[in-house]
């Protein structure tokens, strides 16, 4: 994942369904490279289009028609009981039930979205045309790409099951079919739609920027969040987030990357990133100032995050010219599928944790090459706590816990479920391993504590607090008469508040 600074030019992250200089081809008409549609594909398209206009009275007929499409047998209903954290009282948890959809893949594995099984205590799967609910076991969860991998130990579940086949990346204008189980129905629902864009999108569950398809849908109140098929009945992705009539789809390329990581390592090892901020260099005056050659292109590095391997190699004002021999344009794009272009962070998203890349940079008048070992995300304020119970520590009636973006969503009115966190709040660029926040005062009548509630703990007895474990350790060995807690809002150099306990 890479971060970009704001720019006055048009956003280059998406390939729009129209003619642009960036794409170099027209998508004003249907842009599929496929000349033929299989007979099953035709039937799936017809059923999907019929479902858009069907009334509830036709449900029984729809279910009968779907029995003749074997690909839909790979789509399963996911029932989950979750115990979500209670941020107001971190020692408590709130139980909820949810329904979503999953996809059977090879190797006795089932894929679903990570957010649909987050904080799970029980997960059960129901196959198409089967009344039995099978208990599932979590194999791996990949919050960065919002995917989770399940399995079922009961051999009966796998009888007659044919894993799904993955298809090629669709282009803007291509027709796709959304599938999935709605909460109020026990059969697969279908909906036809067209791909409008493809490019790098922010995955809201973790804040990662990865490849995604954006599709315009007319969902009529329905929420599918299930597998998406192309016209030849091959899976091209899985819906994972939506707003209004726009849905984002995790493409098959990202899904296969997750599967390959698990198959190679027996676990999800994380997605790497090049931890820099950059800006485009489309201004000729900027290129001249940076001493670039007339035919040279690249992007300007404006910030390098600490605690990553590249922090000892790259420097601000380096001009990033290429990655693994692939030249980067002044607008920050590289060649993509079928003559299209995409933001160069796509090249990093294809790698695995620990992979090496060769980067070429201009540093002043010199051209230099470096080899970098890619590392995974180090989040200063976690975007998600991925199923873990909330850690907390109570001292003198004060309740301390760790700060996370879900905490901010619940406790701060500025955030809601559609907003993604600011990256300066997420990625480590300070002295701490994590931020500790004062959640509440469990004692009545201590009005002073309200002044510092929900603020970040900066120091304890004038010593930096590097995390909740650090705080516990310092408190436990403290033998002074007073305990001094110093709080700040979000930045260490911001306004500070002091709270003192006497023992």
């Amino acid at each position: 994942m890479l971060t970009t600074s704001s720019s006055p030019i048009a956003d280059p992250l998406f390939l729009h369904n129209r003619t642009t200089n960036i794409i170099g081809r027209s998508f004003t008409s249907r842009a599929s490279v496929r000349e033929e549609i299989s007979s099953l594909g035709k039937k799936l398209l017809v059923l999907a289009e019929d479902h858009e206009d069907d009334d509830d009275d036709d449900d029984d007929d729809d279910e009968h028609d779907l029995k003749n499409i074997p690909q839909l047998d790979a789509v399963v209903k996911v029932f989950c009981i979750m115990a979500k954290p209670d941020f107001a009282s971190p020692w408590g948890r709130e139980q909820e039930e949810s329904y979503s959809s999953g996809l059977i893949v090879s190797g006795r594995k089932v894929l679903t979205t990570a957010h649909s099984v987050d904080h799970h205590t029980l997960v059960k799967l129901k196959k198409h045309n089967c009344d039995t609910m099978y208990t599932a076991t979590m194999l791996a969860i990949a919050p960065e790409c919002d995917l989770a991998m399940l399995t079922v130990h009961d051999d009966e579940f796998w009888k007659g099951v044919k894993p799904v086949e993955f298809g090629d990346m669709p282009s803007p204008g291509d027709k796709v079919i959304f599938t999935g189980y709605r909460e109020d129905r026990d059969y697969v629902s279908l909906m036809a739609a067209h791909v409008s864009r493809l490019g790098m999108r922010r995955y809201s569950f973790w804040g990662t920027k990865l490849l995604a398809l954006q599709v315009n849908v007319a969902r009529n109140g329905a929420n599918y969040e299930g597998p998406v098929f192309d016209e030849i009945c091959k899976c091209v992705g899985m819906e994972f987030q939506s707003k209004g009539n726009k849905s984002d789809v995790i493409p098959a390329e990202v899904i296969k990357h997750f599967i390959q990581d698990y198959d190679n390592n027996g676990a999800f090892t994380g997605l790497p990133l090049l931890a820099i901020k950059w800006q485009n260099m489309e201004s000729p005056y900027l290129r001249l100032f940076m001493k670039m050659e007339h035919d040279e292109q690249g992007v300007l590095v404006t910030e390098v995050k600490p605690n990553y391997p590249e922090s000892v190699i790259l420097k601000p004002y380096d001009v990033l010219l290429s990655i693994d021999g692939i030249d980067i344009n002044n607008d920050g794009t590289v060649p993509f599928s079928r003559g299209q272009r995409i933001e160069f962070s796509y090249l990093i998203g294809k790698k695995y944790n620990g992979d090496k890349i060769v980067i070429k940079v201009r540093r002043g008048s010199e051209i230099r090459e470096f080899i970098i070992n890619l590392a995974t995300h180090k989040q200063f304020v976690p975007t998600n706590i991925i199923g873990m119970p909330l850690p907390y520590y109570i001292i003198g009636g004060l309740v301390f816990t760790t700060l996370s973006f879900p905490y901010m969503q619940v406790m701060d009115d500025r955030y809601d479920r559609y907003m993604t966190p600011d990256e300066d709040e997420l990625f480590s660029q300070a002295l701490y391993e994590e931020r500790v926040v004062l959640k509440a005062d469990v004692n009545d009548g201590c009005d002073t504590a309200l002044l510092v509630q929900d603020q970040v703990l900066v120091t304890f007895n004038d010593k930096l607090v590097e995390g909740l474990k650090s705080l516990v350790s310092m408190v436990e060995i403290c033998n002074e008469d007073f305990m001094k807690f110093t709080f700040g809002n979000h930045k260490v150099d911001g306004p500070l508040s002091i709270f003192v306990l006497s023992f």
Side-chain angles (χ1 to χ4, degrees), residues 205-479:
F205 187 63
W206 191 254
T208 323
K209 187 185 289 184
L210 291 173
L211 181 66
L213 310 175
Q214 190 172 87
V215 183
N216 292 330
V217 297
R219 56 180 69 250
N220 297 324
N223 191 17
Y224 291 83
E225 289 204 357
V228 179
F229 292 86
D230 62 13
E231 297 172 333
I232 55 176
C233 284
K234 291 189 176 182
C235 180
V236 294
M238 179 175 292
E239 183 187 13
F240 71 105
Q241 61 189 24
S242 61
K243 186 176 182 180
N245 65 342
K246 297 184 184 297
S247 288
D248 292 333
V249 176
I250 306 170
E253 179 177 310
V254 174
I255 295 174
K256 290 188 288 186
H257 186 283
F258 169 51
I259 295 173
Q260 188 66 51
D261 187 19
Y262 178 84
D263 290 344
N264 289 343
N265 302 288
F268 173 67
T269 61
L271 293 178
L273 81 161
L274 191 62
I276 65 172
K277 285 189 175 184
W278 59 274
Q279 74 174 63
N280 66 59
M281 299 194 69
E282 294 186 299
S283 167
Y285 304 106
L286 178 60
R287 296 197 299 272
L288 182 63
F289 177 77
M290 298 307 300
K291 302 179 180 179
M292 294 180 67
E293 299 291 342
H294 176 71
D295 58 347
E296 205 170 46
Q297 297 201 57
V299 295
L300 181 65
V301 177
T302 59
E303 183 181 342
V304 183
K305 303 290 186 180
N307 304 323
Y308 286 86
E310 52 268 31
S311 64
V312 298
I313 296 176
L314 294 176
K315 297 180 179 180
Y317 302 110
D318 281 346
V319 178
L320 184 57
L321 303 175
S322 69
I323 296 177
D324 288 338
I326 300 175
D327 292 334
I328 301 172
N329 273 17
N330 291 326
D331 62 359
T333 64
V334 294
F336 187 52
S337 172
R338 303 170 190 169
Q340 304 162 18
R341 300 192 66 84
I342 194 169
E343 183 187 303
F344 72 95
S345 58
Y346 166 73
L347 301 176
I348 307 300
K350 296 173 64 176
K351 302 293 184 178
Y352 294 90
N353 183 29
D355 280 358
K356 293 180 173 62
I357 60 170
V358 178
I359 62 171
K360 181 189 292 186
V361 302
R362 170 174 286 280
R363 183 170 293 170
S365 58
E366 296 181 350
I367 301 294
R368 306 182 65 175
E369 282 193 354
F370 301 100
I371 298 176
I372 293 178
N373 290 316
L374 294 172
T376 55
H377 298 64
K378 297 179 177 68
Q379 290 195 336
F380 190 35
V381 178
T383 313
N384 200 281
I385 56 177
I386 51 173
M388 299 296 293
L390 287 177
Y392 65 93
Y393 182 57
I394 301 177
I395 174 68
L398 303 178
V399 182
F400 294 93
T401 187
T402 54
L403 185 60
S404 64
F405 188 62
Y407 179 100
M408 295 159 65
Q409 286 178 306
V410 173
M411 308 308 298
D412 194 324
D413 294 336
R414 294 175 299 171
Y415 298 95
D416 58 47
R417 65 185 296 263
Y418 296 116
M419 289 184 64
T420 55
D422 181 87
E423 289 166 355
D424 286 336
E425 294 288 340
L426 293 182
F427 295 102
S428 178
Q429 57 179 345
L431 299 174
Y432 315 124
E433 63 183 43
E434 65 184 4
R435 282 178 171 167
V436 177
V437 64
L438 176 65
K439 172 61 213 81
D441 169 39
V442 297
N443 294 328
D444 292 334
C446 188
D447 296 336
T448 308
L450 296 177
L451 300 176
V452 292
Q453 183 170 320
D454 295 324
Q455 292 199 40
V456 174
L457 178 63
V458 179
T459 65
F460 170 77
N461 285 350
D462 297 323
K463 296 180 180 179
L464 286 173
V465 176
E466 298 180 349
L468 192 60
K469 291 182 179 180
S470 166
L471 173 64
V472 173
S473 176
M474 288 190 288
V475 170
E476 294 299 324
I477 64 174
C478 178
N479 55 9

Side-chain angles (χ1 to χ4, degrees), residues 23 33-34 66 131 143 157-158 188 194 201-203 251 285 330 356 372 453:
I23 300 174
V33 298
R34 307 179 183 92
L66 297 181
D131 294 330
F157 176 84
W158 303 103
V188 182
H194 289 85
R201 283 287 283 171
R202 186 79 62 196
Y203 284 40
Y285 304 106
N330 291 326
K356 293 180 173 62
I372 293 178
Q453 183 170 320

